[in-house]
Amino acid sequence: MKQQKQIIALVVLILIAVGIWGWSWYEPRKGANGNNSTFLQGYQPLNFPNPTIRWPEVERRRKAEYKGIGVNPFSHEVPPSPSDIKKTQEDQARLAQEAAARAQQQQVTQSQTVELPASMKFFGYGNVPNDTARRAFLEDGDEVYIVNEGDTLMGRYKILKINNASLEFEEVGSGRRGQKMLEDQGPTA
């Protein structure tokens, strides 16, 4: 019984294959006027002048170099106008000139060193346990100043770095930098 069902299925599949093959070779009957189909009766070719390929034009366009203007075609933003672009370039040039002038002025002011008052002495430094900030000890007559790195001394000098043998500072108003060496007072008698 099982083999009989398989043979029937094979015959059905063969008949379907023959039907498909025959359909692919089928030609419809020709109509009364001899045309293959009736839908082409009103066909007229397009009126296209001189359909030859213009090879010089193709070569010229093929060799053309694309020069974009930097506009993203997928953006919803309106691209800047040429006058806006020119204004932006002028502003950038002006800002660059101002930055160069400031840098030159800063070099001139930084080349001039600043000194702490002559009566002030840097006599030591130290660390507080469990504290990473270094402290410097300065003396001005009877006044003793204890400052950390980053503190302001006398409202005029910012302490930049406390080294083993020197103290680096910057004058707040002018940005000029200076250095004060550690003064060894020796043993007191």
Side-chain angles (χ1 to χ4, degrees):
M1 182 83 175
K2 185 175 181 184
Q3 188 177 11
Q4 190 178 13
K5 287 183 180 180
Q6 289 177 347
I7 291 173
I8 292 172
L10 178 64
V11 169
V12 170
L13 287 175
I14 290 174
L15 288 175
I16 291 173
V18 167
I20 293 173
W21 180 76
W23 184 262
S24 67
W25 291 99
Y26 172 74
E27 288 188 29
R29 292 184 199 170
K30 294 186 179 188
N33 59 3
N35 290 336
N36 284 344
S37 62
T38 58
F39 75 92
L40 295 176
Q41 288 177 356
Y43 172 74
Q44 292 180 359
L46 295 175
N47 185 14
F48 190 76
N50 194 6
T52 59
I53 297 175
R54 298 180 197 128
W55 290 109
E57 183 73 17
V58 171
E59 286 301 315
R60 183 179 66 80
R61 290 189 180 180
R62 186 177 289 157
K63 292 178 182 177
E65 183 178 332
Y66 174 74
K67 295 178 184 173
I69 57 172
V71 176
N72 183 357
F74 304 105
S75 175
H76 292 287
E77 297 178 13
V78 177
S81 66
S83 61
D84 291 342
I85 294 172
K86 183 177 180 183
K87 182 181 177 189
T88 303
Q89 290 173 345
E90 290 172 355
D91 289 346
Q92 289 175 347
R94 182 180 46 82
L95 290 174
Q97 289 175 349
E98 289 175 1
R102 278 195 306 268
Q104 185 179 9
Q105 182 182 7
Q106 190 175 18
Q107 286 177 351
V108 169
T109 57
Q110 286 182 353
S111 65
Q112 303 167 351
T113 59
V114 65
E115 296 290 328
L116 289 175
S119 60
M120 186 164 290
K121 296 179 182 173
F122 172 43
F123 66 90
Y125 61 90
N127 288 19
V128 176
N130 298 330
D131 190 13
T132 59
R134 226 174 191 186
R135 296 184 180 191
F137 306 109
L138 296 122
E139 172 185 40
D140 187 14
D142 291 337
E143 289 287 324
V144 175
Y145 299 97
I146 302 173
V147 291
N148 291 329
E149 291 178 350
D151 286 351
T152 304
L153 176 66
M154 298 170 42
R156 185 174 171 195
Y157 305 102
K158 181 177 179 181
I159 306 301
L160 300 175
K161 182 92 173 146
I162 301 170
N163 297 317
N164 291 341
S166 65
L167 174 72
E168 296 176 19
F169 59 92
E170 178 181 69
E171 190 173 36
V172 175
S174 67
R176 296 183 301 172
R177 293 182 176 210
Q179 188 174 14
K180 183 76 171 174
M181 298 307 290
L182 181 67
E183 297 180 25
D184 185 20
Q185 295 180 350
T188 56

